[in-house]
Amino acid sequence: MKKKKTRNPLIRRIPRELAGDWRKYLLVSLFLILTIGFVSGMYVANESMMKAADEGVTKYKLEDGHFELNEEADQTLLAAIATGEKADVKQYYTDKAKRELDEKLDDEFEDKFKDEFDSQFKEEFDRKFNAEFQTQFDQTFATQVKQTLLAQGMDETMAAAMLDTAVAQARQAGSYQQAYDAAYESAYQKAYDTAYDEAYGKAHDEAYEKAYDEAWDKILDEIDEKYQKAEDKYELNDPDFAAVPVNLFENFYRNEEEDHDGDGVPDGNVRVFKKTDEVNLACLMEGSFPASSDEIVVDRMHADNVGIAVGDTITVQGEAYRVVGLIAYVNYATLHEKSTDLMFDALKFNVAMVTEDGFARLHEKVHYDYAWNYVTEPADEAAEKNLSDDFMKALLTQVVVADAEIEDYVPEYANPAIHFATDDMGSDEAMGGVLLDILIVIIAFIFAITISNTIARESATIGTLRASGYTRGELVAHYLSMPVIVTLVAALIGNILGYTVFKNIVVSMYYNSYSLPTYETIWNPDAFIKTTLIPLILMFVVNLVVIARMMRHTPLQFLRHDLKKTKRKKAMRLPRFQFLSRFRLRVMFQNMANYAILFVGIFFCMVMLAMAVGMPDTLGYYKENAKNLMFAKYQYVLASWEDEDGDVITTKEPGAEKFSMTSLLRKSDTLDEEVSVYGISDDSRYVKIDDLTHLKENEAYISASYADKYDVSVGDDVTLDEKYENQQYTFRVAGIFDKSQSIAVFLPIENYREVFEQDADAFGGYFSDTEITDIADENIATVITERDITKMCDQLDHSMGSYMSYFQILCILLSAVLIYLLTKIIIEKNETAISMTKILGYENREIASIYLLSTTIVVIVADAICVALGALVMNIAWKAIMYSYSGWFSFVILPTGYVKMFAFVLIGYLIVMVFDFMRIRKIPMDQALKNVE
């Protein structure tokens, strides 16, 4: 008969240990379950929603990019752009110059040549004609006189002899002059006209040919110079250029005012597109697509935020539309009004779809936006960027030769409305994983310290077991079992909750912020690995290292409780304080390792509290100070400083002040950030920079936001690039202007005109503290108001404000749990000493003053230090985060915020103190007698 294998008796200790300290294990388990569950839910929700977004690229025909022109392109231009080939810019310059020369030279040459020719011809003709006419007339007059003499009866000889006398008499009598004048007048005009026509034609052809050749030679030199500049500007001879054929689609839209509550006051802007089935389709979330001219569908997220429901009526630029559906456009996962916006705005910006007839009902100007898809899809983002760069070079040349202008150019990979949501979900996933790992490590160390204390307390038992034949490995496995079992159970339950409860919570959070399509939950192996295997490995490794180190002692050392690695040192001599004060110091020194872990735990909580408290403070600060960060209440940016008739656009508003503005790029490896460059009028009442007018051409002021973000100081050089051209500008920083929220550069308006080669009277818009009503809407490109400054704060407050309050409560609970676990270890470690003090007659209150006051002092000091460290770390982290986004605003924690951070951890500790005091009360006096060796 086979002998039955003896069961390891150590296994029986596991349930007893679990039952004996069930509160600790329950608390740790609940915390792990909630943390793992939330992170698992985040992984599952992220993966499911990002897969839906990836599938939507094909399903909803997402663009590879879009560009906007200042006017509608004809079919010839669209066909040229679609080839992806560069236009012959030099031939365009040549043909254009020839047309201009032909028109200009004909008018100028004719007027100039005729004046010069007439003057020269008359002088030369008169001189020559007079000489020739005199001779001819004298001969003719003499012949006439001779005929008269012959008629009087003279013979030929006598008439010849009397001819000179008769002519002289005629001269003297005046008949000669009369005949001369009559003949001259008749012959002069006829001869002049004949000679003029003959000479003019010949001289004109010769002079015109010479003038044309001289003008053309000069123009060719100018063309060469202009082409050389264009060659550098548009990189026309880039050897790496390759044609990028694309498919083009019209994606026209209008930006209109939206009134969704029917009070007659605009509540924001809505970008209205025509219904299409070619590109950038929408996922229908509820209702139906528009079918008639009075129907509209709007963005689902915007509708949820402002309370629009299917069946409601909204007003768009004075026209009423019935909402028949809610959608999520594939190219507007977040409602970024401009690609340069730091944050989307789902409160005051909306996107909508109407029928073609519904589009015709609207009034604002049409934005001629064209979307493209590459004929050959790029393999990855690097290849896509190369294609985009080559396509933009080709597009620029085609637009130039068509005498059009590019208003906007945004490739798909650089469009925040497409990528912000998925990028943010990816960063959330990474951050959630890091926070989970940090928390697991902290809890693992707490377990390790607890087990170390248990091993020290049970050292005699361990020595006996070792002497009885139990191996070191068996004991290590036994003490490892509890943290691993707790973590495994928590991970399994957490994952179950992650796929059910927490996944839905995370999805609702994302739907509250992003306009995402419908999704299906998918199995995520990453979630299992990162929320089950990695926590188990971390828990196992940390505890294995500590337990294995403790188990290196011999059985005899365990039996003697000799577990110190170093020889016992002489007690530290303390100052001559009162007995209880020295006792407390001894308690602190004996628990330095525990207090170190406690410090790390409080620091971890404080970093999260810095975000939870600082985010609302930051948003509130910038919303309250928005007016102080604006140049004027209204900033009107004009489409052009001249209207279509060539007249300068003016206003009668007395407070209006001219300014110029353009956008350049600060290029870097991580982000090409748009920088606003302003030309400011002398003695400006809106941008008050004292010595601005005295700056040299290459000097400029920069905004404080620019200086803070990129660590720029006075005297440094900043280099900026044209957005669509290969041209750079370098400015020496002469000063920093602190009343601007944007990333901006300031120049005197005269310097601005010289730098950007503008006319002496050119300008870009008006600053005004009152609304300007006498400029036609078609001449205004955009109006910047307080809303543009505060919309980011409003959106962040709406998306995250309530969650920050919950996060603060979570941080209080987390700090309470960590402090509870660590102070529990301290009290358990000192149970014998506490029991002995009770035997000596000390009351519970006095004992608490020794042990709890020591911990209280450490907690208060650690709390104060970690408030400063947490704010410092969050500032550094915030700056790193902001580097990857356009725009800038500093992280702000108000004085009351620091008080909150300190108080929240203290509140958590005060809750723990109640339980610690109850634990001290429960320690019996015979505890010390039981452990007497």
Side-chain angles (χ1 to χ4, degrees):
M1 181 177 177
K2 189 175 180 181
K3 187 177 179 180
K4 188 176 181 180
K5 187 176 180 181
T6 305
R7 187 177 182 186
N8 188 345
L10 291 177
I11 297 176
R12 300 177 189 174
R13 296 192 69 216
I14 295 174
R16 287 204 301 268
E17 184 178 344
L18 184 61
D21 207 358
W22 65 271
R23 292 182 182 85
K24 179 183 76 174
Y25 292 120
L26 178 62
L27 189 61
V28 171
S29 298
L30 286 175
F31 203 82
L32 283 175
I33 287 169
L34 292 175
T35 307
I36 290 173
F38 185 79
V39 174
S40 175
M42 184 181 294
Y43 280 125
V44 174
N46 282 5
E47 187 70 19
S48 301
M49 299 186 85
M50 284 197 283
K51 184 178 180 182
D54 290 340
E55 292 175 346
V57 171
T58 303
K59 182 177 180 180
Y60 299 111
K61 301 180 181 179
L62 178 65
E63 65 181 33
D64 286 326
H66 67 266
F67 61 88
E68 183 183 333
L69 302 180
N70 64 326
E71 58 187 22
E72 186 173 3
D74 58 25
Q75 291 302 315
T76 302
L77 175 57
L78 291 177
I81 293 173
T83 65
E85 298 280 359
K86 290 182 182 178
D88 190 341
V89 176
K90 189 168 187 178
Q91 186 61 48
Y92 161 74
Y93 286 151
T94 303
D95 294 343
K96 183 179 180 181
K98 190 175 187 309
R99 288 195 302 270
E100 292 175 351
L101 177 63
D102 290 343
E103 295 173 1
K104 184 178 179 182
L105 185 65
D106 285 349
D107 294 338
E108 292 182 355
F109 177 81
E110 292 301 336
D111 293 341
K112 183 178 180 181
F113 176 78
K114 191 173 189 311
D115 291 342
E116 292 179 355
F117 179 81
D118 287 354
S119 175
Q120 293 176 2
F121 178 80
K122 190 174 189 309
E123 182 180 348
E124 179 67 19
F125 179 82
D126 287 352
R127 182 183 62 75
K128 188 175 180 181
F129 178 81
N130 289 342
E132 292 178 354
F133 182 80
Q134 185 71 47
T135 302
Q136 292 176 0
F137 180 80
D138 287 346
Q139 291 176 355
T140 303
F141 188 79
T143 300
Q144 291 177 350
V145 171
K146 184 178 179 180
Q147 292 296 328
T148 301
L149 294 175
L150 291 174
Q152 291 177 357
M154 294 184 183
D155 59 15
E156 190 71 32
T157 303
M158 184 175 291
M162 292 294 295
L163 181 60
D164 292 339
T165 303
V167 170
Q169 289 175 349
R171 287 178 180 274
Q172 187 175 6
S175 58
Y176 174 88
Q177 189 62 42
Q178 290 176 355
Y180 181 89
D181 290 344
Y184 185 90
E185 183 177 355
S186 175
Y188 181 87
Q189 192 61 45
K190 183 178 180 181
Y192 183 90
D193 291 343
T194 302
Y196 183 90
D197 291 342
E198 182 179 348
Y200 183 89
K202 183 178 180 182
H204 178 275
D205 292 343
E206 292 176 353
Y208 185 85
E209 184 176 355
K210 181 180 179 181
Y212 192 94
D213 290 343
E214 290 176 352
W216 185 242
D217 289 341
K218 184 178 179 182
I219 287 173
L220 287 177
D221 291 338
E222 293 176 355
I223 289 175
D224 288 339
E225 182 179 348
K226 189 174 183 180
Y227 180 76
Q228 183 62 46
K229 188 175 180 180
E231 191 176 51
D232 296 334
K233 198 173 186 180
Y234 304 126
E235 299 181 272
L236 298 178
N237 292 325
D238 181 6
D240 297 325
F241 172 82
V244 184
V246 298
N247 296 314
L248 293 176
F249 308 94
E250 286 186 2
N251 201 33
F252 298 169
Y253 65 86
R254 301 178 192 262
N255 287 328
E256 308 280 355
E257 290 182 340
E258 173 187 292
D259 176 14
H260 57 72
D261 55 11
D263 62 355
V265 178
D267 299 305
N269 295 332
V270 56
R271 182 164 296 166
V272 185
F273 294 89
K274 286 189 287 187
K275 185 179 178 182
T276 180
D277 57 2
E278 292 185 325
V279 71
N280 293 334
L281 308 186
C283 172
L284 185 66
M285 309 294 285
E286 182 182 346
S288 60
F289 286 111
S292 62
S293 62
D294 63 343
E295 293 181 344
I296 191 171
V297 293
V298 300
D299 182 81
R300 190 273 316 160
M301 179 174 61
H302 174 78
D304 289 348
N305 288 342
V306 301
I308 298 175
V310 173
D312 290 351
T313 297
I314 64 172
T315 302
V316 180
Q317 205 72 27
E319 302 290 341
Y321 289 85
R322 185 168 59 88
V323 178
V324 295
L326 305 180
I327 59 171
Y329 264 119
V330 66
N331 58 325
Y332 278 97
T334 52
L335 294 180
H336 280 80
E337 189 168 3
K338 294 182 290 185
S339 62
T340 55
D341 285 346
L342 172 61
M343 179 56 61
F344 59 90
D345 181 10
L347 296 173
K348 297 179 181 178
F349 177 64
N350 185 18
V351 289
M353 177 197 299
V354 295
T355 63
E356 189 165 350
D357 291 338
F359 192 78
R361 292 176 61 199
L362 299 173
H363 310 294
E364 290 294 335
K365 69 176 184 179
V366 175
H367 289 256
Y368 298 106
D369 191 76
Y370 296 89
W372 80 80
N373 285 124
Y374 300 114
V375 172
T376 303
E377 285 298 316
D380 51 33
E381 187 171 315
E384 183 180 3
K385 189 176 188 308
N386 290 334
L387 287 180
S388 171
D389 291 344
D390 284 345
F391 177 66
M392 184 174 72
K393 293 171 187 176
L395 174 65
L396 283 167
T397 62
Q398 296 292 354
V399 170
V400 165
V401 302
D403 290 323
E405 294 180 8
I406 297 177
E407 299 288 336
D408 194 18
Y409 179 90
V410 184
E412 180 267 345
Y413 69 85
N415 191 340
I418 296 173
H419 289 287
F420 185 93
T422 52
D423 290 346
D424 189 51
M425 286 191 289
S427 62
D428 286 348
E429 185 176 314
M431 185 178 294
V434 170
L435 293 177
L436 174 62
D437 292 343
I438 292 173
L439 184 62
I440 292 294
V441 170
I442 292 174
I443 293 178
F445 272 108
I446 293 172
F447 263 120
I449 293 171
T450 304
I451 293 170
S452 296
N453 292 333
T454 302
I455 291 173
R457 190 171 64 247
E458 298 178 350
S459 60
T461 305
I462 294 171
T464 302
L465 291 171
R466 288 294 310 280
S468 300
Y470 281 88
T471 64
R472 183 184 292 113
E474 288 176 312
L475 293 172
V476 169
H478 169 70
Y479 284 104
L480 266 175
S481 60
M482 190 53 67
V484 171
I485 290 171
V486 169
T487 306
L488 178 60
V489 172
L492 293 176
I493 297 174
N495 270 279
I496 292 171
L497 293 175
Y499 272 88
T500 53
V501 178
F502 289 106
K503 180 261 297 182
N504 294 330
I505 293 174
V506 175
V507 166
S508 67
M509 290 171 59
Y510 284 139
Y511 272 136
N512 187 50
S513 298
Y514 307 135
S515 189
L516 298 168
T518 54
Y519 75 99
E520 292 182 2
T521 303
I522 61 172
W523 161 253
N524 186 352
D526 256 4
F528 178 76
I529 292 171
K530 294 177 180 178
T531 61
T532 303
L533 295 184
I534 290 179
L536 277 173
I537 291 170
L538 289 173
M539 188 68 72
F540 178 83
V541 170
V542 171
N543 282 277
L544 178 63
V545 170
V546 175
I547 296 171
R549 185 171 177 272
M550 291 289 293
M551 287 298 174
R552 288 178 183 174
H553 299 286
T554 64
L556 187 58
Q557 286 175 317
F558 277 113
L559 291 169
R560 291 178 176 176
H561 295 279
D562 184 15
L563 304 183
K564 298 290 185 182
K565 285 289 182 184
T566 57
K567 292 183 178 180
R568 191 181 299 275
K569 296 180 180 179
K570 186 178 180 180
M572 181 187 298
R573 185 176 295 278
L574 298 175
R576 303 181 71 83
F577 296 148
Q578 292 181 355
F579 172 74
L580 291 180
S581 298
R582 282 183 289 157
F583 202 137
R584 295 186 188 100
L585 283 176
R586 293 287 183 202
V587 172
M588 290 182 189
F589 290 132
Q590 288 170 1
N591 293 279
M592 288 301 292
N594 298 328
Y595 288 141
I597 298 294
L598 178 63
F599 182 88
V600 172
I602 292 176
F603 170 72
F604 176 70
C605 294
M606 203 59 74
V607 172
M608 294 193 294
L609 266 176
M611 182 180 71
V613 172
M615 181 67 78
D617 282 359
T618 300
L619 299 180
Y621 173 82
Y622 279 100
K623 285 203 300 189
E624 290 175 7
N625 291 275
K627 291 181 180 180
N628 298 328
L629 298 172
M630 294 178 62
F631 306 135
K633 292 181 179 179
Y634 298 91
Q635 184 175 321
Y636 290 88
V637 180
L638 302 179
S640 172
W641 64 289
E642 295 178 333
D643 61 21
E644 58 184 10
D645 297 326
D647 298 325
V648 176
I649 297 173
T650 59
T651 176
K652 295 180 180 178
E653 192 63 42
E657 177 181 290
K658 293 178 180 178
F659 73 92
S660 292
M661 187 181 78
T662 191
S663 294
L664 301 178
L665 291 180
R666 182 195 181 277
K667 294 187 175 180
S668 68
D669 294 336
T670 56
L671 175 71
D672 290 347
E673 175 151 19
E674 187 170 298
V675 178
S676 298
V677 182
Y678 288 91
I680 305 301
S681 297
D682 295 345
D683 301 321
S684 171
R685 57 178 292 195
Y686 297 104
V687 182
K688 297 179 181 178
I689 302 176
D690 293 336
D691 58 344
L692 188 67
T693 55
H694 304 299
L695 297 184
K696 298 176 182 177
E697 184 176 336
N698 68 328
E699 291 183 331
Y701 268 68
I702 63 172
S703 63
S705 296
Y706 194 153
D708 290 344
K709 183 169 185 176
Y710 295 109
D711 295 322
V712 180
S713 303
V714 174
D716 292 346
D717 288 339
V718 295
T719 299
L720 305 174
D721 293 76
E722 287 280 2
K723 292 176 70 173
Y724 309 125
E725 300 166 2
N726 185 31
Q727 187 166 346
Q728 287 187 333
Y729 305 90
T730 300
F731 303 102
R732 177 68 51 83
V733 178
I736 296 173
F737 182 59
D738 59 359
K739 292 186 177 180
S740 172
Q741 179 56 34
S742 61
I743 305 294
V745 173
F746 303 93
L747 304 170
I749 196 166
E750 292 81 5
N751 292 7
Y752 179 97
R753 290 163 178 159
E754 291 179 12
V755 169
F756 296 103
E757 299 177 358
Q758 294 186 349
D759 293 343
D761 298 324
F763 64 100
Y766 287 99
F767 291 132
S768 178
D769 279 335
T770 54
E771 187 174 2
I772 295 176
T773 58
D774 56 354
I775 297 178
D777 291 341
E778 59 267 21
N779 293 325
I780 298 175
T782 187
V783 182
I784 300 174
T785 63
E786 185 178 346
R787 168 188 173 262
D788 297 278
I789 303 297
T790 61
K791 67 179 181 181
M792 178 191 64
C793 296
D794 291 336
Q795 181 60 53
L796 283 173
D797 189 38
H798 175 81
S799 299
M800 303 178 64
S802 59
Y803 294 118
M804 289 300 103
S805 299
Y806 297 137
F807 202 48
Q808 290 172 11
I809 296 172
L810 177 64
C811 290
I812 294 174
L813 296 176
L814 176 59
S815 62
V817 169
L818 294 177
I819 294 171
Y820 171 81
L821 294 173
L822 289 164
T823 55
K824 182 177 184 297
I825 292 172
I826 294 170
I827 292 173
E828 287 177 347
K829 184 178 179 180
N830 291 277
E831 280 184 348
T832 302
I834 292 171
S835 178
M836 185 63 71
T837 53
K838 287 187 176 183
I839 293 172
L840 295 175
Y842 285 90
E843 297 179 356
N844 290 325
R845 180 180 53 80
E846 294 172 309
I847 296 170
S849 72
I850 295 173
Y851 289 95
L852 296 187
L853 184 57
S854 301
T855 302
T856 301
I857 293 170
V858 172
V859 169
I860 290 175
V861 172
D863 194 5
I865 294 173
C866 289
V867 165
L869 291 178
L872 177 63
V873 169
M874 194 60 215
N875 266 298
I876 295 171
W878 183 265
K879 196 166 187 177
I881 292 169
M882 292 297 294
Y883 271 134
S884 59
Y885 295 101
S886 295
W888 177 259
F889 61 98
S890 301
F891 188 73
V892 176
I893 299 180
L894 301 176
T896 53
Y898 288 105
V899 174
K900 282 182 182 179
M901 292 167 63
F902 182 84
F904 286 158
V905 172
L906 201 58
I907 289 169
Y909 176 65
L910 292 176
I911 296 171
V912 171
M913 276 187 67
V914 176
F915 293 100
D916 285 343
F917 184 74
M918 293 169 60
R919 188 180 295 116
I920 288 174
R921 288 180 58 187
K922 291 180 179 179
I923 296 175
M925 286 188 289
D926 61 355
Q927 181 75 25
L929 300 176
K930 289 179 181 179
N931 288 283
V932 174
E933 297 294 333

